[in-house]
Amino acid sequence: MTTTTLPERTEPTADEVAVQRPLIGELLVQSGKLSARDLERALSAQQEMGGLLGRVLVRLGLVSESDVIQALARQLDIPLVAAADFPSLLPEVEGLLPEFLQANHVYPLSVDDGRLRVAMAVPQDAFVVKALHLATGLAIVPHLALESDIEKALAEPQEQGGDEADGDDGFGDGADGGDFVEHLKDLASEAPVIRLVNAIIGRVIDLRASDIHLEPFDDGLHVRYRVDGVIQLGELVPPRLSAAVNSRVKLLAHLDIAERRLPQDGRIKTRVKGRELDLRVSTVPTVHGESVVMRVLDRASVRLQLETMGFEKDTLERFNMLLAKPHGILLVTGPTGSGKTTTLYAALSKIDAESNKIITVEDPVEYQLEGINQIQVHPQINLTFANALRSILRQDPDIIMIGEMRDGETAQIAVQSALTGHLVLSTLHTNTAAGAVIRMKDMGVEGYLITSSVNGVLAQRLVRALCGHCKEPYEPGDEVRRSTGLGRFSSFGQAIYRAVGCEHCRGSGYRGRTGIHELFVLDEPMRRAIIDGKDANALNALAAQGGMLNLYEDGLRKVAAGVTSLDELGRVTQDQGDA
């Protein structure tokens, strides 16, 4: 063909790149994606591991593959091609072998006027560019694309043919057990599966998700994320990869991948996009395979300050007064996922750990707190809440935190601890604050012991906060103000806000969550009512006379302040008729 084909230009250009253009690590540091210290670590790792710096950075979890490829596009001044721009059918080009394309991560894009446009994971590789030119006789125009996008695009035609031919891919119960486990291990260790699992986990940072759900069905593995307390749909993993993805997660969590009939629990510590993540893994068998849920524990995002957790000023003052008491029980109640443990951690972080001996008993220990002795419950070896509590009373603690009062024995020991001069913090699963008193009675704790030991109960929920970029003011009208009770906290003409949705909140209208609270303090009239055997409704009514605002009313204050919406408050507090 022509004498001035691109390969001849490409080789010296690759050499010039190394000399004249900024290094990729420097570009990532300049753009704020990487710290100088992490770059030094990666360069040291590169000397040991070898390979391109960008791949080393991604493997170490310091930056995302997307960050590297954007910096590479700037460094090489080569166009970036997204997977959506790949042609659905490969252009017909003589001399291109599928094995060569897969081995070198090359995807042909188009042929035009004797020029072949190709997407490459490493477009600066002069050898591959020259080989493409020699094989096709065309001038090569390299573009940059994600390696995973190229692999996926090249694999798609094979996947369509392979699914029908392979049937169930040997995942049926008839497969030999030992061979099957080895097969799973091999699959889970393959690069595409590792990258897929890393991508699934990596999305939690962008989505700010608290949980990842991997749910097997006939059409594949459904990936769903819980964001601000609401489930959102994610990717669909094809059926042939479902078992491999679940096995990869189980390997990371040090679980038995051969055991698929019983539930298992484990933990994964990983680094994603420069953030240390702790994932609590739970697996359960279903009719289509194992369902896996990963609870995301991100130390960087957890707020261990009561002042930033949505407490109204008056509620926070009274809660701090209860925390300052030298002994007694302070309970936090609410359903699963309502932030009870985080509130207790924030309360403990306010207490001076240097001048107080603080011991916690938890299942599991979610966040490790400095200066605090934390005990992990292990029921398998009979280290239960009750047994651990008996032992730690001999450890001379000032403050004890019990992750959850699950039974009467634990509740009795907690009461005895409070009566003998300890401050005890714990959680209970009840819908209202007053309901905690009734629950303790149901556990077998006598009324006079409750009144002697319990100082107060905080009930809480988490409501989604309106997105500051798109929330819209409106006047709800007199009828809505009267029927919802909003008129008590917001006068006519004062606008409240509703959700709209924009790119900042991914169209949901909400970004982040805040707490609504109900603080039930045991004063003298309340203690007499408990001794008299009053039920939860009577206790609630008495607390309201004393100035307590219930969860719904505290939420109305946040609606009036423009923090959340009436719709969101209604969604979260619709159980307030139950004790």
Side-chain angles (χ1 to χ4, degrees), residues 307-338:
E307 291 76 13
T308 61
M309 295 172 68
F311 280 92
E312 295 292 337
K313 190 177 178 183
D314 56 340
T315 308
L316 185 58
E317 283 177 3
R318 288 186 296 146
F319 188 69
N320 281 334
M321 283 171 56
L322 294 175
L323 268 180
K325 292 199 172 187
H327 54 81
I329 296 176
L330 179 54
L331 294 171
V332 181
T333 76
T336 301
S338 59

Side-chain angles (χ1 to χ4, degrees), residues 341-516:
T341 305
T342 305
T343 298
L344 285 183
Y345 279 155
L348 287 177
S349 70
K350 281 186 73 74
I351 298 169
D352 184 3
E354 289 188 8
S355 57
N356 290 283
K357 169 91 170 186
I358 304 174
I359 303 181
T360 75
V361 186
E362 305 170 60
D363 183 23
V365 173
E366 293 196 359
Y367 297 108
Q368 292 173 18
L369 304 175
E370 193 175 345
I372 293 174
N373 301 278
Q374 294 173 270
I375 299 170
Q376 166 79 53
V377 168
H378 285 292
Q380 303 93 327
I381 55 170
N382 206 29
L383 181 58
T384 61
F385 277 108
N387 288 341
L389 276 172
R390 284 196 198 89
S391 300
I392 66 174
L393 286 174
R394 294 191 285 274
Q395 292 275 312
D396 187 30
D398 298 297
I399 295 152
I400 301 167
M401 182 191 119
I402 308 168
E404 184 187 336
M405 281 193 195
R406 293 184 179 174
D407 51 54
E409 192 178 8
T410 305
Q412 294 280 6
I413 299 171
V415 167
Q416 294 302 326
S417 305
L419 293 175
T420 53
H422 304 90
L423 180 62
V424 179
L425 310 179
S426 188
T427 69
L428 264 179
H429 285 287
T430 62
N431 290 334
T432 64
V437 172
I438 307 303
R439 180 64 52 83
M440 287 185 74
K441 282 189 172 182
D442 292 342
M443 286 179 172
V445 181
E446 296 291 342
Y448 70 90
L449 290 175
I450 295 172
T451 57
S452 306
S453 58
V454 178
N455 295 333
V457 184
L458 178 79
Q460 80 171 44
R461 299 285 190 283
L462 294 176
V463 293
R464 289 182 294 171
L466 285 164
C467 173
H469 292 92
C470 65
K471 66 179 183 180
E472 178 182 82
Y474 75 104
E475 168 52 55
D478 276 345
E479 176 57 32
V480 171
R481 289 183 188 279
R482 189 175 67 256
S483 63
T484 61
L486 183 62
R488 181 177 164 192
F489 305 98
S490 171
S491 56
F492 182 78
Q494 180 184 342
I496 62 172
Y497 291 82
R498 59 186 163 207
V500 177
C502 67
E503 59 182 14
H504 297 282
C505 57
R506 297 181 179 268
S508 69
Y510 299 93
R511 186 172 174 84
R513 288 192 288 178
T514 189
I516 55 174

Side-chain angles (χ1 to χ4, degrees), residues 188-247:
S189 303
E190 287 178 359
V193 173
I194 292 172
R195 271 195 295 272
L196 179 55
V197 171
N198 289 349
I200 289 169
I201 294 173
R203 281 199 71 195
V204 303
I205 301 295
D206 301 325
L207 293 173
R208 299 173 294 102
S210 60
D211 300 85
I212 307 169
H213 295 248
L214 306 177
E215 301 167 336
F217 292 100
D218 279 337
D219 59 342
L221 192 68
H222 291 217
V223 182
R224 303 203 291 170
Y225 300 88
R226 189 176 293 278
V227 181
D228 293 335
V230 179
I231 287 280
Q232 292 186 5
L233 289 175
E235 304 89 342
L236 176 63
V237 177
R240 66 186 196 86
L241 292 177
S242 297
V245 167
N246 275 350
S247 297

Side-chain angles (χ1 to χ4, degrees), residues 47-67:
Q47 289 178 344
E48 294 176 20
M49 298 160 61
L52 296 170
L53 178 61
R55 288 181 178 172
V56 173
L57 289 166
V58 172
R59 210 175 304 161
L60 292 173
L62 296 170
V63 292
S64 68
E65 201 176 355
S66 173
D67 292 334

Side-chain angles (χ1 to χ4, degrees), residues 77-254:
D77 195 21
I78 286 179
L80 191 58
V81 184
D85 298 325
F86 285 10
S88 54
L89 293 173
L90 285 171
E92 291 185 16
V93 183
E94 282 189 29
L96 282 185
L97 297 173
E99 294 80 5
F100 179 83
L101 297 179
Q102 288 171 343
N104 296 284
H105 301 104
V106 177
Y107 192 85
L109 299 173
S110 65
V111 181
D112 188 28
D113 293 333
R115 291 153 62 87
L116 173 62
R117 290 172 59 246
V118 291
M120 299 176 63
V122 189
Q124 67 271 39
D125 190 333
F127 169 79
V128 175
V129 173
K130 191 163 189 175
L132 286 167
H133 165 64
L134 293 172
T136 63
L138 300 170
I140 308 301
V141 183
H143 291 60
L144 187 59
L146 282 172
E147 187 176 306
S148 53
D149 287 346
I150 294 172
E151 279 187 351
K152 187 178 177 185
L154 287 171
E156 272 173 6
Q158 286 81 1
E159 280 180 17
Q160 291 165 3
D163 282 351
E164 293 174 14
D166 292 343
D168 65 2
D169 280 333
F171 290 129
D173 291 333
D176 178 74
D179 292 345
F180 173 73
V181 172
E182 289 306 314
H183 179 51
L184 271 185
K185 280 184 178 174
D186 291 343
L187 276 175
S189 303
E190 287 178 359
V193 173
I194 292 172
R195 271 195 295 272
L196 179 55
V197 171
N198 289 349
I200 289 169
I201 294 173
R203 281 199 71 195
V204 303
I205 301 295
D206 301 325
L207 293 173
R208 299 173 294 102
S210 60
D211 300 85
I212 307 169
H213 295 248
L214 306 177
E215 301 167 336
F217 292 100
D218 279 337
D219 59 342
L221 192 68
H222 291 217
V223 182
R224 303 203 291 170
Y225 300 88
R226 189 176 293 278
V227 181
D228 293 335
V230 179
I231 287 280
Q232 292 186 5
L233 289 175
E235 304 89 342
L236 176 63
V237 177
R240 66 186 196 86
L241 292 177
S242 297
V245 167
N246 275 350
S247 297
R248 174 66 186 165
V249 172
K250 289 170 73 175
L251 282 173
L252 289 171
H254 305 291

